[in-house]
Amino acid sequence: MVKRDIYIYSFILGFLSIFSQTFIFRELSFTLRSNELILSLLLFYWLFFGGLGSSVGIPHPKLFGKFFIFLLLVPLSILLAKMWAAVIQHSPGEFFSLPQVIAVMSLLLIPFCYLTGSIFLELSRKFTRLGGKPYKMYASDGTGAMIGGVLTYFVIAQGSALWILCIASMVTALFLIGWEQRWRGWGIVLLIIILPVALLSNKLEMKFNSLLWEGFTIEKTIESKYTRSTILSHRNEKFLYQGGSLVAASGDSVSPELLVHPIFSQLKEINSAFVVGGVNLNIIPELEKYHICLLYTSDAADELDGVDLGGRRI
């Protein structure tokens, strides 16, 4: 292996790392129905475990084997994100707690990030043995990352994330096969594995999405550069989710849940609740799930002329 080879490997590593990172972040945001916390945790896992991998490495002598697994994980990470979320969630459509978010991200990102760091470590070792200066390899990796980030904007939402990452992995494999003879065996095996996944990408994503929404029928999913819209149906009702969050429903059966659970689920201990209005929305059964004492209930506040305290108007 000469310096030119290492430049190419580091460029590909940077390109695919940022390219796949964007799709992984997008998928985790929608699947876990979370907010900017996902970005903070993603950066932590990527930097910490990538740095750990580049410090400790993996005791495997062949760079080709590590790169093969990396190219395999690039597209499969989308399916793994859905799979781990489906395993860890308690019920479809729920808000994931912080421990659940950390569990899903740990199972998905620790192996992937540690592997990318170990590949970079192996490349840097080979590069310095050849008398190369480390900053040049960093520049090659950074250039690939910049181009990958820019390209992502133009291809995102042009197809399913799984399909796009499969194409990226296969194009890389074809390039490596044509560029280096030693890659022919690894590359052909990779193509044999990834090609069926690419051809069945839509069906596979629908299957894994159905695991996340067990009990619901997925009517339609629309991808755009800015969000993902999903239309679900359940018991003659339809629900519209955008970016993983419920924004509209054809019926009113979810209003009590939306009024109660996003707030009450964040509290560690609740002794009592003061309800002003909302009784007509049937929120009492939802409040009773928390085994709390309901102090007062009233619809008088809706009339803007007082509050009913146990039947007494003031």
Side-chain angles (χ1 to χ4, degrees):
M1 182 175 286
V2 297
K3 290 182 181 179
R4 183 196 62 179
D5 300 335
I6 297 176
Y7 282 135
I8 293 175
Y9 273 114
S10 59
F11 178 89
I12 293 173
L13 183 66
F15 176 88
L16 287 180
S17 292
I18 294 298
F19 192 77
S20 60
Q21 184 187 94
T22 306
F23 285 95
I24 291 173
F25 170 64
R26 179 182 170 93
E27 186 62 43
L28 287 173
S29 298
F30 296 159
T31 302
L32 300 180
R33 294 175 280 280
S34 286
N35 47 31
E36 60 276 4
L37 177 63
I38 291 291
L39 177 58
S40 301
L41 288 173
L42 179 71
L43 291 175
F44 164 74
Y45 280 99
W46 214 274
L47 295 173
F48 180 81
F49 289 100
L52 189 64
S54 62
S55 300
V56 181
I58 298 176
H60 190 282
K62 292 186 178 180
L63 175 66
F64 299 105
K66 298 175 185 178
F67 219 84
F68 172 83
I69 297 173
F70 170 70
L71 292 177
L72 195 61
L73 286 177
V74 164
L76 295 184
S77 58
I78 298 298
L79 294 182
L80 289 173
K82 297 178 186 292
M83 182 188 74
W84 290 127
V87 169
I88 289 175
Q89 75 176 1
H90 297 305
S91 60
E94 70 173 2
F95 287 93
F96 281 75
S97 65
L98 181 58
Q100 289 176 308
V101 170
I102 292 175
V104 172
M105 296 187 74
S106 296
L107 290 167
L108 175 66
L109 295 177
I110 289 177
F112 188 81
C113 298
Y114 190 90
L115 178 63
T116 56
S118 67
I119 293 174
F120 191 85
L121 174 63
E122 186 68 24
L123 289 173
S124 63
R125 284 174 175 172
K126 293 179 181 296
F127 193 67
T128 53
R129 288 183 195 136
L130 294 171
K133 296 181 179 180
Y135 77 88
K136 292 184 177 181
M137 201 184 79
Y138 274 101
S140 177
D141 179 86
T143 302
M146 180 189 69
I147 295 175
V150 172
L151 182 62
T152 303
Y153 176 81
F154 295 99
V155 302
I156 201 166
Q158 298 303 314
S160 71
L162 178 60
W163 181 80
I164 292 172
L165 292 179
C166 281
I167 296 300
S169 184
M170 288 191 296
V171 169
T172 303
L174 288 171
F175 170 78
L176 293 173
I177 290 172
W179 168 57
E180 191 168 0
Q181 186 174 2
R182 288 180 297 175
W183 248 102
R184 289 181 182 176
W186 292 101
I188 291 173
V189 172
L190 185 71
L191 291 173
I192 292 173
I193 296 174
I194 298 297
L195 183 58
V197 177
L199 295 175
L200 298 172
S201 58
N202 288 331
K203 292 184 177 180
L204 285 171
E205 287 220 56
M206 286 295 294
K207 179 64 177 177
F208 277 76
N209 285 337
S210 66
L211 296 176
L212 285 167
W213 296 104
E214 186 177 0
F216 291 79
T217 300
I218 301 175
E219 300 285 348
K220 193 173 184 180
T221 299
I222 303 171
E223 296 276 358
S224 72
K225 284 185 172 67
Y226 310 104
T227 190
R228 173 187 297 164
S229 300
T230 304
I231 301 174
L232 306 172
S233 62
H234 178 65
R235 295 179 181 176
N236 298 321
E237 285 191 86
K238 291 188 182 295
F239 308 89
L240 172 61
Y241 280 80
Q242 286 188 338
S245 299
L246 179 64
V247 296
S250 61
D252 200 30
S253 64
V254 297
S255 292
E257 297 179 6
L258 292 175
L259 287 170
V260 175
H261 297 305
I263 298 173
F264 279 66
S265 61
Q266 304 302 315
L267 302 176
K268 293 182 179 181
E269 184 178 352
I270 309 172
N271 296 319
S272 58
F274 177 28
V275 182
V276 180
V279 178
N280 60 322
L281 293 177
N282 198 30
I283 67 171
I284 300 302
E286 297 300 325
L287 289 170
E288 289 175 343
K289 294 178 181 179
Y290 291 90
H291 306 290
I292 59 178
C293 173
L294 298 176
L295 295 181
Y296 309 104
T297 60
S298 173
D299 289 326
D302 298 334
E303 303 170 8
L304 301 178
D305 61 357
V307 178
D308 185 9
L309 298 179
R312 293 182 297 108
R313 186 178 299 276
I314 60 172

